[in-house]
Amino acid sequence: MFAWCSKFMSGKFHWISGFLTDPIWEVVCFDLKSENFETVKQPSCMEVYKHPRLGVLKGCLCVFSNYSPSDIIDVSIWNEYGVEDSWAKYVTIPYQSFTNYVAPLFVLPSGEVLFTCGSDFFIYNKRDNCVRRQQTVDFDRDRDRDCEAEVYTESIVSLVLED
């Protein structure tokens, strides 16, 4: 999850433009089918967002922004794609970080939000406003262990080769 990467949703690539030089920013979209550019204006609920970044949560495009030095991150979700007034704040996550780079990754079935802070993983529970750090394995550092990571990609393509 890199801050300046585009996100792919609904057949379009999306990225944020303008926030480096202007407090007013917008989401730019490139439609692969029509090969046209579109823009989505900065939602009014995000006027205070500085250095916003895009993500995808719960199958929806989201914008998140850190507020330093207050140590919180706001996450707003575009609930109905294409309807500009359907943006809504989803969650505010408290954190303490020296890296100042926090990114939400996934909403668990329980409603908890998995996010990264630097190279660490955390889970935020909205009900009790609690953040807990997740233990992870550093495969580069722990090479003497007899384990490897594998990437699994679900596909409808058959792995059986026909003669």
Side-chain angles (χ1 to χ4, degrees):
M1 304 290 301
F2 296 100
W4 320 121
C5 290
S6 64
K7 300 298 175 193
F8 186 74
M9 286 266 328
S10 299
K12 301 173 185 177
F13 284 106
H14 301 78
W15 63 94
I16 295 179
S17 175
F19 70 89
L20 291 174
T21 58
D22 193 344
I24 305 299
W25 49 268
E26 60 189 1
V27 177
V28 179
C29 315
F30 180 71
D31 188 322
L32 292 177
K33 186 175 183 180
S34 68
E35 297 184 357
N36 289 322
F37 287 94
E38 303 168 15
T39 59
V40 177
K41 293 180 181 167
Q42 176 182 354
S44 60
C45 65
M46 299 179 219
E47 288 177 355
V48 296
Y49 281 25
K50 296 194 179 358
H51 305 292
R53 293 182 289 261
L54 283 179
V56 176
L57 285 179
K58 297 176 64 173
C60 298
L61 200 63
C62 72
V63 175
F64 55 97
S65 180
N66 297 31
Y67 292 95
S68 182
S70 63
D71 292 334
I72 63 169
I73 180 172
D74 274 344
V75 180
S76 294
I77 289 186
W78 200 3
N79 288 304
E80 192 174 340
Y81 187 87
V83 179
E84 288 194 25
D85 63 351
S86 70
W87 286 94
K89 186 182 288 189
Y90 179 70
V91 69
T92 297
I93 301 172
Y95 73 96
Q96 291 182 330
S97 168
F98 297 108
T99 65
N100 200 29
Y101 179 72
V102 175
L105 299 174
F106 188 75
V107 176
L108 302 169
S110 64
E112 296 174 310
V113 179
L114 174 68
F115 68 96
T116 62
C117 181
S119 61
D120 294 320
F121 291 90
F122 296 86
I123 291 183
Y124 173 66
N125 185 321
K126 289 181 2 178
R127 283 172 283 167
D128 61 7
N129 198 33
C130 179
V131 175
R132 68 181 189 273
R133 186 171 189 253
Q134 294 302 112
Q135 297 297 321
T136 58
V137 175
D138 184 343
F139 287 101
D140 287 332
R141 189 185 72 206
D142 298 334
R143 290 180 195 207
D144 56 335
R145 293 185 185 179
D146 192 22
C147 58
E148 294 181 15
E150 296 290 334
V151 175
Y152 169 76
T153 303
E154 189 171 350
S155 173
I156 60 172
V157 176
S158 173
L159 296 177
V160 179
L161 298 175
E162 296 185 21
D163 295 332

